[in-house]
Amino acid sequence: MIEDVSLEVEVGGVRLSHPVLLASGVLNETAHSMIRVVDVGGAAGVVTKSISLDEKMGHRNPTVVELPTGLLNSMGVPNPGMEEYSKEVLMFKERLPQTPIILSLYGESVEEFEKLARAAKELPVEAVEVNLSCPNREEGGLTFGTRPEMVYNAVRAVRRGFPRGVWVKLTAQVGDVVEVAKEAQRAGADALVAINTLKGMAIDPLLAMPVLANKTGGYSGPGIKPVALRVVWELSSSEEIYIPVVGVGGIETGIDAVEFMMAGASAVEVGSAVRSRGIEVFRAIMDEIRMFLIENGYSSVKEIIGLALDVEKAMSREEVI
Ligand SMILES: Cc1cc2nc3c(=O)[nH]c(=O)nc-3n(C[C@H](O)[C@H](O)[C@H](O)COP(=O)(O)O)c2cc1C
């Protein structure tokens, strides 16, 4: 039995000590909360909340509903704007210089994306994550992510302005996600992140009205895991996509993370599970991945990336074990 295993991975120009990252929008309002996610929670790195050029107030309350299978949120990308949030990024890096931080960018036009990318270039961030998939705003968000030519233009603009890792966060709410991903790749993306929340809603039957003030919101948590897995698998099995994929959507356990990696993800992001398992969820998932690898005779987490894409290979492995 192998006593220890290597958990290191590399994604789109970013080296990670293990594959579990904080997802955008959860516990990333301040440097302090992101430092806790690493120090106390054990995350290998963090993605920030999505940041726009100017401050956004977000939507009215209620903005979050708990469901039996996850969460519905309609935050509306509340954030203090790029200039103000830069201070949080600098504070994070001052305290944790070795820990990767990926800055999530939210623009409502190609010009805004280019300005955001140029501002990000001046910050000590290893990569940016281009949010083209938020279901909670009229402008930007899904309007970009569902149209291949707009994805190309937005990613091209970020590529022009930012010289390090460009990750592109996709929505599952398109007919053919590979077509959209190909445009991101053609525009110079270094990695794809799949998926953002799915647009959904909840009705209060006694009040006979939608629960969220914004009426609809983004669905996350265990209920979306099969959709996210399917998207990661489709991207990873496409012969036309050669950049790495980061999986996100409903990951709560190490076994969930293993499934995503076997479907082709090089790393995973975790958001909603912070509610169900607490801030230590990142270390717990990492430990559970390690345990799975040891129990099943793997010596490195890299060995399982994409294993479920090649069923014949997996079956021949079974014969060896
Ligand atoms: C409260 C909340 C806020 C979110 N805000 C953002 C955001 O600002 N930008 C973004 O790209 N994704 C955002 N997301 C989506 C998550 O990053 C992630 O893609 C999605 O929740 C699926 O992962 P999960 O099931 O682990 O939460 C948010 C999710 C939640 C629950």
Side-chain angles (χ1 to χ4, degrees):
M1 171 96 92
I2 298 158
E3 282 308 313
D4 208 1
V5 290
S6 163
L7 293 179
E8 277 179 30
V9 289
E10 210 205 303
V11 187
V14 183
R15 279 166 161 259
L16 300 170
S17 58
H18 67 79
V20 192
L21 298 166
L22 172 69
S24 182
V26 179
L27 284 185
N28 32 28
E29 247 144 61
T30 62
H32 179 73
S33 61
M34 292 187 285
I35 290 166
R36 273 180 57 81
V37 164
V38 176
D39 273 357
V40 181
V46 298
V47 181
T48 69
K49 67 192 283 112
S50 289
I51 302 301
S52 46
L53 264 187
D54 301 316
E55 181 183 11
K56 278 197 191 307
M57 300 312 286
H59 295 313
R60 275 185 303 120
N61 281 326
T63 51
V64 180
V65 188
E66 286 209 37
L67 305 171
T69 50
L71 296 176
L72 260 186
N73 90 81
S74 64
M75 306 300 290
V77 200
N79 78 92
M82 192 62 167
E83 200 178 326
E84 199 55 33
Y85 194 78
S86 296
K87 295 174 194 161
E88 305 298 330
V89 173
L90 292 171
M91 241 186 284
F92 177 90
K93 266 298 181 192
E94 204 172 298
R95 173 72 175 66
L96 297 172
Q98 305 301 328
T99 306
I101 178 166
I102 295 108
L103 182 61
S104 173
L105 306 181
Y106 180 82
E108 291 178 353
S109 67
V110 170
E111 292 69 36
E112 271 188 34
F113 271 118
E114 186 152 358
K115 282 185 189 159
L116 284 164
R118 290 193 192 288
K121 182 182 168 193
E122 306 307 322
L123 292 172
V125 297
E126 280 74 7
V128 292
E129 187 177 275
V130 191
N131 179 0
L132 298 177
S133 42
C134 176
N136 289 326
R137 293 206 64 101
E138 291 286 306
E139 326 81 8
L142 279 184
T143 319
F144 269 99
T146 52
R147 299 190 198 157
E149 75 285 3
M150 287 178 81
V151 168
Y152 178 86
N153 291 338
V155 176
R156 193 85 207 136
V158 173
R159 182 73 286 170
R160 272 197 297 270
F162 187 76
R164 298 180 292 280
V166 174
W167 299 9
V168 177
K169 189 162 180 189
L170 303 172
T171 175
Q173 296 179 198
V174 286
D176 185 351
V177 73
V178 171
E179 284 307 307
V180 176
K182 269 162 53 185
E183 288 306 289
Q185 180 177 268
R186 194 167 69 84
D190 298 298
L192 302 164
V193 181
I195 59 173
N196 210 315
T197 53
L198 301 174
K199 192 171 179 175
M201 78 183 302
I203 299 281
D204 184 325
L206 296 178
L207 297 177
M209 60 188 277
V211 179
L212 293 168
N214 189 50
K215 300 186 183 71
T216 61
Y219 182 30
S220 63
I224 72 166
K225 189 185 122 189
V227 179
L229 258 180
R230 183 268 299 171
V231 172
V232 168
W233 189 86
E234 279 181 1
L235 294 171
S236 306
S237 44
S238 163
E239 287 183 358
E240 292 170 291
I241 304 283
Y242 46 82
I243 54 178
V245 178
V246 176
V248 52
I251 296 168
E252 293 197 306
T253 67
I255 297 301
D256 292 334
V258 165
E259 290 175 28
F260 272 83
M261 296 188 80
M262 288 185 168
S266 297
V268 295
E269 296 177 4
V270 175
S272 302
V274 171
R275 278 213 177 201
S276 49
R277 293 193 75 185
I279 195 170
E280 280 97 359
V281 65
F282 305 93
R283 184 170 291 109
I285 291 177
M286 176 188 79
D287 286 343
E288 290 157 8
I289 295 173
R290 179 188 283 120
M291 194 55 70
F292 175 88
L293 296 175
I294 292 172
E295 283 175 4
N296 290 280
Y298 297 102
S299 56
S300 152
V301 74
K302 287 186 197 151
E303 285 174 40
I304 67 167
I305 298 173
L307 218 47
L309 299 173
D310 188 343
V311 176
E312 279 174 22
K313 193 168 150 195
M315 284 170 63
S316 69
R317 194 190 138 69
E318 235 160 60
E319 283 157 25
V320 174
I321 292 174

